[in-house]
Amino acid sequence: MNPFKRLYIRTTGYSYTNMGRLFLRLFVGVMMMQFGIRQWMHFDEAMLSFPQVLGIPSEIGLTLMIFIEIVCSFFIMCGFLTRLMSLFPLLAMVCAEIHLLSSQPQSSYMLSWDQLGYLPVMFIGIYCFIMLVGPGKISVDYFLSLHFIHSDNYSESELEEV
C-alpha cells in the first residue's frame, strides 16, 4: 500500500472519540472557569454591571453565576456527573442569550459576528453536545460506572448498552 493511502486510512479510519470528549470537556471547563474566576476576583465591580435576570437581584445572580462557572466547570472537567453539571451552565447561557438579545437596540438578525450575542450560543452548543454524547471513557463517571457494574457482578458489556 502506498504511503498516501496508509496516511489517509490512519487519519480518517481511526476514531479518537474519548480523547475528543476529554479535550472538549477540558476546553469548555477552562473557558467557563476563567470567566468565573475573573468575576470572583472583581466581584464588587462585576456586581455593579451584572444585570437583574428573571427577577433575581444582581448580587445573588452574580454569586450563582460564579458558582455555576467554577464548580460545574470543575465537575465537567473531571467528568463527574457530567450530564447533570452541563445542565446548569446551559441554562445560564440560555438566560444570558435571552438577556443579550432583549437588550439589543436592533433586531437579533442584524447582529454582526463580533457582538456578544454569539458567545452564549457557542457555549449552548457545546453543552448540548456534551449532554448528548456523555463524558466518554476518560472520566470519573465511566470509572464509577465500571465500579458499580463490577460490584453487582455484571460484565462491561452491560455498560455499552446504557
Side-chain angles (χ1 to χ4, degrees):
M1 186 182 301
N2 75 28
F4 178 72
K5 286 182 183 177
R6 193 174 318 129
L7 177 67
Y8 183 78
I9 290 172
R10 285 226 180 255
T11 57
T12 59
Y14 291 97
S15 178
Y16 303 101
T17 58
N18 292 309
M19 290 294 288
R21 292 178 195 181
L22 173 66
F23 171 78
L24 189 63
R25 284 192 348 255
L26 293 175
F27 174 77
V28 77
V30 167
M31 292 301 293
M32 188 60 79
M33 194 178 276
Q34 60 97 14
F35 285 123
I37 291 171
R38 197 176 313 149
Q39 288 173 341
W40 187 15
M41 291 176 63
H42 305 286
F43 186 81
D44 294 331
E45 298 94 33
M47 189 178 63
L48 296 174
S49 63
F50 197 79
Q52 183 176 355
V53 181
L54 300 174
I56 300 172
S58 61
E59 184 176 352
I60 295 172
L62 180 60
T63 304
L64 186 62
M65 192 65 173
I66 291 171
F67 179 81
I68 289 171
E69 290 172 345
I70 293 176
V71 174
C72 292
S73 293
F74 178 74
F75 281 142
I76 290 169
M77 289 167 59
C78 293
F80 181 61
L81 301 172
T82 307
R83 287 186 166 128
L84 177 66
M85 290 297 137
S86 296
L87 181 64
F88 301 110
L90 174 74
L91 294 175
M93 291 297 106
V94 167
C95 288
E97 183 64 21
I98 290 170
H99 174 73
L100 284 172
L101 291 178
S102 66
S103 66
Q104 293 290 330
Q106 62 203 30
S107 299
S108 60
Y109 61 85
M110 296 294 290
L111 288 175
S112 65
W113 66 270
D114 61 342
Q115 290 176 314
L116 292 175
Y118 287 106
L119 191 61
V121 172
M122 181 195 69
F123 279 111
I124 289 169
I126 292 172
Y127 288 125
C128 285
F129 181 79
I130 289 173
M131 289 177 72
L132 285 172
V133 299
K137 292 184 176 181
I138 309 171
S139 66
V140 174
D141 287 340
Y142 181 75
F143 292 118
L144 280 174
S145 298
L146 283 178
H147 172 71
F148 294 146
I149 285 175
H150 289 302
S151 67
D152 291 339
N153 293 325
Y154 291 113
S155 69
E156 289 184 30
S157 63
E158 298 286 330
L159 187 59
E160 298 300 323
E161 293 177 8
V162 173

